[in-house]
Amino acid sequence: MNADQTACASSGKATAWEQVDWPQCERQVRRLQARIVKATQEGRWNKVKALQRLLTCSFSGKALAVKRVTDNQGRRTSGVDGKIWNSPASKHKAIGTLKRRGYQPQPLRRVHIPKANGKLRPLGIPTMKDRAMQALYLLALAPVAESTADKNSYGFRPGRGTADAIGQSFLMLSHKDSATWVLEGDIRGCFDNISHEWMLRHIPTDKEVLRKWLKAGFMENRILFPTEAGTPQGGIISPTLANLTLDGLERRLRATFPVKAPKGRTSSLKVNLIRYADDFIITGASKEVLENEVKPLVEQFMRDRGLQLSPEKTCVTHIEQGFDFLGQNLRKYGGKLLIQPSKRNTHTFLEKVRQLIRQNRGLSQTDLIRQLNPIIRGWANYHRHVVAKGTFKKVEWALWHSLWRWARRRHSGKRSRWLIQRYWHPLGGKNRFATITGKRTPGGKPLWLKLVNPTEISIRRHVKIRGEANPFDPCWRAYFEDRAFFKKFGIHRREAGLKPSSQPAPQ
């Protein structure tokens, strides 16, 4: 028995949920994932398959899969069977039920959630067991997906986010000799239309289990509907399946429009792809190149996978006209690229805040601030990496007006001076919408609960992730540790006097 199997066996001795050695489970899974990465890089696909099977059969993998689905936000949401795992006994028992032999997923419970454009997005909710099985097989599939992914794909990947996609967009569009035209791409119903046949031929995972997930169907109004195409939105493994389906577009563009032209000259076409999930942009030197050469190539690539571009959202735009991407507006003014929060994104945020204030006119000031602060802080942190100071000031003014109307409605007979003295207090050199919590600081001073002010959130440049970085590859461990430390404290590990990991990232 090798070291990996020994670790599984020792972890499997736990007879209760509380006895599971989680650090040991994580080490065991990480070790197997590193071996999967190495085998993928070497092109040893039979070895990859064997290691994936070993991981999905291990106690460590099963325990971590159950832990994931019982610790996330959807842990209290049941599938069609109405069951949830909310006790240590049920969680430990669930580990033993995650077996490939005899496994048959149940249909998804279909619900609809509103989209930003007012339409409804169908969401499929699997049962707890099916979620855990997907989480288990994702542990084995994710290392392969990361090793074969496009370098400039940023959606639903560990260690990557929208800030990285915007950072790459800045690199591709900010220079004087950068591309001046952009193809804004959007895939119509991406999750709902991916070809099952294509996925079963090309996704490097257990084909039989994948087929059962894809063909499980969904329940709506107590009626069972079959699924002939697509991967359900709501499944843990669905974003990775969609990414694997769309990966390869950047490589095909590179092969057709190489960065280096003959004799070492830089290509004049300037075709570059930046993708976040099913939203993407492709830069180009001219409108004709994007419309007559790039767009047909993309359409053929999508057609092979059962997909098509959305005619309403796919268009070619000049950089001086500007375009919206991932909630940001990118536009050149006098040759200088500025990235700012888009008007649509800001309007949507303010409407959400105003609606919350209108619907909670009877709340106390303390409860209102506690509901508003996470929303304001989250929106401001999302945009803190771009040119957002001006927008933050406008949002601050709009929030003041909404809260003033809230206060006037609560005390229609009071004068303005009384309202300001009641709800706005001089803190930090300016009047703040705040209240005393009843608690005190260690020095004995009253503790204030203040509304988050977007203008006080500092603008901080985001360092884009390296395109080839792989969080499952041990060679990149020091790199990701440094990025996590910088994200938390704003400085690098070396600047803080901490030693780097024993395995530095490749240069």
Side-chain angles (χ1 to χ4, degrees), residues 29 32-37 40 45 48-58 61 133-147 204-206 237 240 244 472:
V29 169
L32 286 172
Q33 288 175 330
R35 293 176 63 188
I36 292 173
V37 168
T40 302
W45 293 105
V48 170
K49 186 176 180 180
L51 290 170
Q52 286 181 323
R53 185 67 179 268
L54 180 60
L55 197 159
T56 55
C57 292
S58 69
M133 285 291 286
Q134 289 188 19
L136 174 61
Y137 278 82
L138 179 59
L139 290 173
L141 180 61
V144 182
E146 285 298 309
S147 301
T205 190
D206 190 306
I237 203 171
T240 302
L244 283 165
F472 300 103

Side-chain angles (χ1 to χ4, degrees), residues 82-136:
K83 296 179 181 179
I84 58 174
W85 299 334
N86 56 0
S87 67
S90 61
K91 295 175 185 179
H92 188 267
K93 182 180 179 181
I95 297 175
T97 65
L98 303 184
K99 298 178 180 179
R100 181 182 185 277
R101 178 175 295 180
Y103 170 65
Q104 184 60 48
Q106 298 189 54
L108 306 171
R109 181 165 68 90
R110 173 65 63 90
V111 297
H112 297 272
I113 57 175
K115 297 170 64 175
N117 58 9
K119 298 181 180 179
L120 295 176
R121 184 192 304 276
L123 190 68
I125 302 176
T127 63
M128 292 294 290
K129 181 178 179 180
D130 293 336
R131 272 178 260 176
M133 285 291 286
Q134 289 188 19
L136 174 61

Side-chain angles (χ1 to χ4, degrees), residues 197-212:
E197 290 71 21
W198 190 95
M199 283 193 285
L200 290 170
R201 287 197 308 268
H202 296 91
I203 301 296
T205 190
D206 190 306
K207 308 298 183 184
E208 187 59 31
V209 175
L210 178 60
R211 183 189 303 276
K212 291 178 179 179

Side-chain angles (χ1 to χ4, degrees), residues 7-8 11 22 24-26 28-29 58-65 139:
C8 289
S11 298
W22 295 113
Q24 175 65 15
C25 289
E26 291 173 357
Q28 161 64 9
V29 169
S58 69
F59 176 87
S60 298
K62 295 177 181 179
L64 288 177
L139 290 173

Side-chain angles (χ1 to χ4, degrees), residues 231-260:
T231 176
Q233 297 187 59
I236 290 176
I237 203 171
S238 296
T240 302
L241 295 178
N243 268 336
L244 283 165
T245 302
L246 298 176
D247 282 334
L249 177 58
E250 183 174 9
R251 291 189 290 272
R252 186 172 297 186
L253 288 170
R254 280 279 180 267
T256 309
F257 310 98
V259 176
K260 294 295 183 181

Side-chain angles (χ1 to χ4, degrees), residues 156-292:
F156 303 113
R157 295 179 60 188
R160 299 173 183 243
T162 54
D164 296 296
I166 295 298
Q168 179 66 16
S169 303
F170 181 83
L171 293 176
M172 293 296 102
L173 296 168
S174 60
H175 303 291
K176 290 184 179 180
D177 58 347
S178 296
T180 55
W181 291 90
V182 176
L183 171 65
E184 303 174 62
D186 184 86
I187 304 170
R188 174 184 288 175
C190 178
F191 282 86
D192 298 328
N193 297 305
I194 301 175
S195 168
H196 285 180
E197 290 71 21
W198 190 95
M199 283 193 285
L200 290 170
R201 287 197 308 268
H202 296 91
I203 301 296
T205 190
D206 190 306
K207 308 298 183 184
E208 187 59 31
V209 175
L210 178 60
R211 183 189 303 276
K212 291 178 179 179
W213 284 335
L214 297 177
K215 302 297 183 181
F218 64 90
M219 295 286 292
E220 188 172 11
N221 297 326
R222 298 184 178 182
I223 301 175
L224 177 62
F225 295 88
T227 47
E228 302 299 333
T231 176
Q233 297 187 59
I236 290 176
I237 203 171
S238 296
T240 302
L241 295 178
N243 268 336
L244 283 165
T245 302
L246 298 176
D247 282 334
L249 177 58
E250 183 174 9
R251 291 189 290 272
R252 186 172 297 186
L253 288 170
R254 280 279 180 267
T256 309
F257 310 98
V259 176
K260 294 295 183 181
K263 298 182 181 179
R265 296 193 305 269
T266 303
S267 174
S268 60
L269 299 180
K270 303 173 184 177
V271 175
N272 295 284
L273 169 74
I274 302 103
R275 180 172 68 83
Y276 187 92
D278 58 342
D279 291 328
F280 63 90
I281 60 172
I282 302 176
T283 64
S286 67
K287 186 176 182 179
E288 291 72 21
V289 167
L290 292 177
E291 287 186 341
N292 301 331

Side-chain angles (χ1 to χ4, degrees), residues 162-167 169 184 281 322-331 338-346 379-388 391-392:
T162 54
D164 296 296
I166 295 298
S169 303
E184 303 174 62
I281 60 172
F323 63 96
D324 291 349
F325 183 51
L326 302 177
Q328 317 283 10
N329 179 264
L330 295 86
R331 184 177 178 181
L338 292 183
I339 304 179
Q340 307 174 78
S342 70
K343 292 182 178 179
R344 178 180 298 179
N345 180 275
T346 304
W379 179 84
N381 283 334
Y382 180 85
H383 294 289
R384 70 181 304 181
H385 308 297
V386 300
V387 184
T391 305
F392 285 177

